[in-house]
């Protein structure tokens, strides 16, 4: 009987090599492991075997059974692997990995920076958590001044607050170096505002400051007009309106032609043809005195610029909150 068992083992091993698909493997399984299969036949005969030899034979049969089982299982998993490989359609076009891109505000800020760099400005930086002195006092805005009401913010202490504009960087730069100065200072600013389509409690500004001997109002106008043309196109006009800021004298607010109708008047600009951009003016002599510059010798201009506003114009975005929601469906359009 031992030889017969050995024989069965060998035919099985030879036969499993020739199996070509799952169906053939299944008939092989029935043949060798089925209830009417050959192995089962040997188990049935075990009762007639000499009791002395029975344990040895029984052991052989059990080993053979597990050999059958593991070999069949292995073959089955080989078939499954090739099957999935065949399901891969090599004619399909490849999948593009999603590419990261820059946030629209970053893109616009980079463009603003490169325009001013080419006009001879360099880039300055200041803290978002400011002192009352830099944010207000040194900018000629004393505690009692009504201009503070328009720029309410989060106070960390009585004297420390989230900056309401980038103008404090003007002071920090002038304190740190003698004239001439020609800088822009981009950054985030904060105001106590309820969010809506055009307001966000934080937004972005670019401050500009130029101080030297003989700097005039004409220089300010030229730089802003040049910026408008490079940012939005040759045909874009700039309009200056008288205004008031405690740290500039005279002060103005400037508008660009509406970039949607190019000045003709449309729904977006409420038929005026103009879009408000920000404020500017000639640096107030009191500010020069606060930083130790001699207002009799030096003059200069300063301007603000809303980055979010410019990005909204550039990309025709009608709600400032979209910038800060991190919704990829929005962000991936730019
Ligand atoms: N800081 C002013 C604002 O936030 C803008 C401004 C900057 C005005 C520089 C004049 C000069 O509204």
């Amino acid at each position: 009987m031992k030889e017969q068992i050995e024989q069965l083992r060998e035919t099985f091993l030879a036969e499993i090599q020739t199996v070509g698909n799952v169906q053939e493997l299944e008939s092989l399984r029935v043949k060798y492991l089925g209830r009417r299969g050959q192995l089962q036949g040997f188990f049935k005969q075990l009762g007639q075997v000499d009791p002395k030899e029975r344990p040895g034979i029984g052991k052989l049969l059990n080993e053979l059974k597990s050999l059958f089982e593991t070999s069949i299982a292995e073959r089955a998993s080989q078939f499954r692997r090739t099957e999935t490989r065949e399901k891969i359609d090599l004619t399909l076009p490849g999948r593009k990995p999603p590419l990261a891109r820059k946030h629209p505000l970053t893109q616009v800020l980079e463009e603003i920076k490169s325009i001013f760099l080419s006009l001879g400005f360099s880039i300055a930086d200041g803290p978002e958590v400011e002192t009352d002195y830099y944010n207000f006092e040194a900018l000629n805005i004393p505690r009692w001044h009504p201009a503070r009401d328009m720029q309410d913010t989060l106070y960390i202490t009585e004297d420390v607050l989230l900056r309401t504009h980038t103008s404090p960087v003007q002071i920090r730069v002038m304190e740190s170096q003698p004239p001439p100065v020609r800088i822009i200072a981009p950054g985030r600013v904060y105001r106590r505002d309820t969010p809506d389509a055009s307001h966000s409690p934080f937004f972005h500004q670019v401050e500009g400051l130029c101080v030297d001997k003989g700097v005039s109002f004409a220089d300010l106008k030229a730089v802003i007009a040049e910026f408008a043309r490079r940012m939005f196109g040759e045909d874009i006009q700039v309009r200056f309106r008288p205004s008031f800021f405690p740290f500039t004298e005279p002060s103005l607010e400037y508008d660009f032609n509406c970039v949607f109708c190019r000045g003709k008047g449309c729904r977006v600009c409420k038929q005026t043809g103009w879009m408000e951009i920000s404020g500017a003016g000639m640096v107030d002599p009191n500010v020069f005195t606060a930083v130790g510059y001699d207002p009799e010798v030096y003059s200069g201009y300063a301007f603000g610029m809303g980055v979010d506003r410019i990005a909204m114009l550039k990309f025709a975005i009608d709600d400032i909150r979209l910038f800060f929601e991190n919704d990829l469906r929005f962000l991936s359009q730019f």
Side-chain angles (χ1 to χ4, degrees), residues 29 33 47 59 66 68 81 91 94 103 121 132 135 143 162 166 169 190 206 216 218 243 254 257 260 276 310 318 326:
R29 191 189 64 78
L33 285 169
K59 190 170 168 247
S66 66
F68 289 177
R81 275 201 295 276
T91 66
H103 193 283
F121 287 75
D132 183 273
N135 197 80
R143 273 187 204 274
L162 294 184
T166 43
V169 187
Y190 302 81
V206 171
S216 77
S243 185
Y254 61 98
N257 265 153
F260 298 104
E276 290 179 21
I310 289 176
D318 59 7
N326 274 339

Coordinates of all heavy atoms in Angstrom, one line a residue, residues 29 33 47 59 66 68 81 91 94 103 121 132 135 143 162 166 169 190 206 216 218 243 254 257 260 276 310 318 326:
R29 N -9.0 18.7 -8.4 CA -9.3 18.7 -7.0 C -10.3 17.6 -6.7 O -10.1 16.8 -5.7 CB -9.9 20.1 -6.6 CG -10.0 20.3 -5.1 CD -10.7 21.5 -4.7 NE -12.1 21.5 -5.1 CZ -13.1 20.8 -4.5 NH1 -12.8 20.1 -3.3 NH2 -14.3 20.7 -4.9
L33 N -9.2 14.9 -4.2 CA -9.6 15.2 -2.9 C -11.1 15.0 -2.6 O -11.6 15.0 -1.5 CB -9.3 16.7 -2.5 CG -7.9 17.0 -2.2 CD1 -7.7 18.5 -2.1 CD2 -7.4 16.4 -0.9
G47 N -9.0 0.6 7.5 CA -9.5 -0.3 8.5 C -9.0 -1.8 8.4 O -8.8 -2.5 9.3
K59 N -0.5 8.3 8.8 CA 0.3 9.5 8.7 C 0.7 9.9 7.3 O 0.5 11.1 6.9 CB 1.6 9.3 9.5 CG 2.4 10.6 9.8 CD 3.5 10.4 10.8 CE 4.5 11.5 10.8 NZ 5.8 11.2 10.2
S66 N -2.5 17.0 2.8 CA -2.2 18.4 2.9 C -1.3 18.8 1.8 O -1.4 20.0 1.3 CB -1.6 18.7 4.3 OG -0.3 18.1 4.4
F68 N -1.8 17.8 -1.3 CA -2.8 18.1 -2.4 C -3.4 19.5 -2.1 O -3.5 20.3 -3.0 CB -3.9 17.1 -2.3 CG -3.5 15.7 -2.9 CD1 -4.5 14.6 -2.8 CD2 -2.2 15.5 -3.4 CE1 -4.1 13.4 -3.3 CE2 -1.9 14.2 -3.8 CZ -2.8 13.2 -3.8
R81 N -3.9 35.6 -10.1 CA -2.9 36.7 -10.4 C -2.9 37.0 -11.9 O -3.0 38.2 -12.3 CB -1.5 36.4 -9.9 CG -1.3 36.8 -8.4 CD 0.2 36.9 -8.1 NE 0.9 35.7 -8.3 CZ 1.0 34.7 -7.3 NH1 0.3 34.9 -6.1 NH2 1.6 33.6 -7.5
T91 N -4.2 49.8 -23.5 CA -4.5 50.9 -24.5 C -5.1 52.1 -23.9 O -5.2 53.1 -24.6 CB -5.5 50.3 -25.6 OG1 -6.7 50.1 -24.9 CG2 -5.0 49.0 -26.2
G94 N -2.6 57.1 -20.0 CA -2.1 57.1 -18.6 C -2.9 58.1 -17.8 O -3.5 59.0 -18.3
H103 N -1.7 79.3 -5.2 CA -2.9 79.9 -4.8 C -3.1 81.2 -5.6 O -2.1 81.9 -5.9 CB -2.9 80.3 -3.3 CG -4.2 80.7 -2.7 ND1 -4.7 81.9 -2.9 CD2 -5.1 80.0 -2.0 CE1 -5.9 82.0 -2.3 NE2 -6.2 80.9 -1.7
F121 N 12.1 99.0 -6.7 CA 11.7 98.9 -5.3 C 12.3 97.6 -4.8 O 12.5 96.6 -5.5 CB 10.2 98.8 -5.1 CG 9.5 100.1 -5.3 CD1 9.3 100.6 -6.6 CD2 9.0 100.8 -4.2 CE1 8.7 101.9 -6.8 CE2 8.4 102.0 -4.4 CZ 8.2 102.6 -5.7
D132 N 0.7 99.2 19.3 CA -0.1 100.4 19.1 C 0.7 101.5 18.5 O 0.3 102.2 17.6 CB -0.8 100.8 20.4 CG -1.7 102.0 20.2 OD1 -1.2 103.1 20.2 OD2 -2.9 101.7 20.0
N135 N 1.4 100.7 14.7 CA 0.2 100.6 13.8 C -0.6 101.9 13.8 O -1.2 102.2 12.8 CB -0.8 99.5 14.4 CG -1.8 99.1 13.4 OD1 -1.6 98.3 12.5 ND2 -3.0 99.7 13.5
R143 N -4.6 108.2 20.1 CA -5.6 107.3 20.7 C -7.0 107.9 20.5 O -8.0 107.2 20.3 CB -5.4 107.1 22.2 CG -4.5 105.9 22.4 CD -4.4 105.5 23.9 NE -3.1 104.8 24.0 CZ -3.1 103.5 23.9 NH1 -4.1 102.8 23.6 NH2 -1.9 102.9 24.0
L162 N -3.4 93.0 16.4 CA -3.2 92.5 15.0 C -3.2 93.7 14.1 O -4.2 94.4 14.1 CB -4.3 91.4 14.6 CG -4.2 90.1 15.4 CD1 -5.3 89.2 14.9 CD2 -2.9 89.5 15.3
T166 N -0.6 97.6 6.4 CA 0.8 97.3 6.3 C 1.6 98.6 6.5 O 2.8 98.6 6.5 CB 1.2 96.7 4.9 OG1 0.5 97.4 3.9 CG2 0.8 95.2 4.9
V169 N 4.9 99.1 8.6 CA 6.2 98.7 8.0 C 7.0 99.9 7.5 O 8.2 100.0 7.5 CB 6.1 97.6 6.9 CG1 7.4 97.1 6.5 CG2 5.2 96.5 7.4
Y190 N -5.5 92.7 9.4 CA -6.7 92.2 10.1 C -7.6 93.4 10.5 O -7.1 94.5 10.9 CB -6.3 91.5 11.4 CG -5.4 90.3 11.2 CD1 -4.0 90.5 11.0 CD2 -5.9 89.0 11.1 CE1 -3.1 89.5 10.8 CE2 -5.0 88.0 10.9 CZ -3.6 88.2 10.7 OH -2.8 87.2 10.5
V206 N -0.4 95.5 0.0 CA 1.0 95.8 -0.3 C 1.2 97.3 0.0 O 0.5 98.1 -0.6 CB 1.4 95.5 -1.8 CG1 2.8 96.0 -2.1 CG2 1.3 94.0 -2.1
S216 N 8.2 113.9 -5.6 CA 7.0 114.7 -5.8 C 5.7 113.8 -6.0 O 5.8 112.6 -6.3 CB 7.2 115.7 -6.9 OG 7.0 115.0 -8.1
A218 N 4.0 114.0 -8.6 CA 4.1 113.4 -9.9 C 4.7 112.0 -10.0 O 4.3 111.2 -10.7 CB 4.9 114.4 -10.8
S243 N -8.5 112.7 -0.6 CA -9.0 111.9 0.5 C -8.2 112.4 1.7 O -7.5 113.4 1.7 CB -8.8 110.4 0.2 OG -9.4 109.7 1.2
Y254 N -7.1 106.2 -5.1 CA -7.0 106.0 -6.5 C -7.8 104.9 -7.0 O -8.1 103.9 -6.3 CB -5.5 105.8 -6.9 CG -4.8 104.6 -6.3 CD1 -4.7 103.5 -7.1 CD2 -4.2 104.7 -5.1 CE1 -4.0 102.4 -6.6 CE2 -3.5 103.6 -4.6 CZ -3.4 102.4 -5.3 OH -2.8 101.3 -4.8
N257 N -9.5 102.1 -14.1 CA -10.6 101.7 -15.0 C -11.1 100.3 -14.7 O -10.3 99.4 -14.5 CB -10.2 101.7 -16.5 CG -10.4 103.0 -17.2 OD1 -9.7 103.4 -18.1 ND2 -11.4 103.8 -16.7
F260 N -13.4 95.0 -16.4 CA -14.4 94.2 -17.1 C -14.9 95.0 -18.4 O -15.0 94.4 -19.5 CB -15.5 93.8 -16.2 CG -15.0 93.0 -15.1 CD1 -14.9 93.5 -13.8 CD2 -14.7 91.6 -15.3 CE1 -14.4 92.7 -12.8 CE2 -14.2 90.8 -14.2 CZ -14.0 91.4 -13.0
E276 N -12.4 101.1 -7.2 CA -11.5 101.7 -6.1 C -10.4 100.7 -5.8 O -10.7 99.5 -5.7 CB -12.3 101.9 -4.9 CG -13.3 103.1 -5.0 CD -14.2 103.3 -3.8 OE1 -13.7 102.8 -2.7 OE2 -15.2 103.9 -3.9
I310 N -7.2 93.2 -6.1 CA -6.6 93.1 -7.4 C -6.7 91.7 -8.0 O -7.0 91.5 -9.2 CB -5.1 93.5 -7.3 CG1 -5.0 95.1 -7.1 CG2 -4.3 93.2 -8.6 CD1 -3.7 95.6 -6.9
D318 N -16.0 87.1 -7.7 CA -16.9 88.1 -7.2 C -17.1 87.9 -5.7 O -17.9 88.6 -5.1 CB -18.3 88.0 -7.9 CG -18.9 86.6 -7.8 OD1 -18.3 85.8 -7.1 OD2 -19.9 86.4 -8.4
N326 N -10.3 77.2 0.9 CA -9.5 76.0 0.5 C -10.3 75.0 -0.2 O -10.0 73.8 0.0 CB -8.8 75.4 1.7 CG -7.5 76.1 2.0 OD1 -6.9 76.7 1.2 ND2 -7.0 75.9 3.3

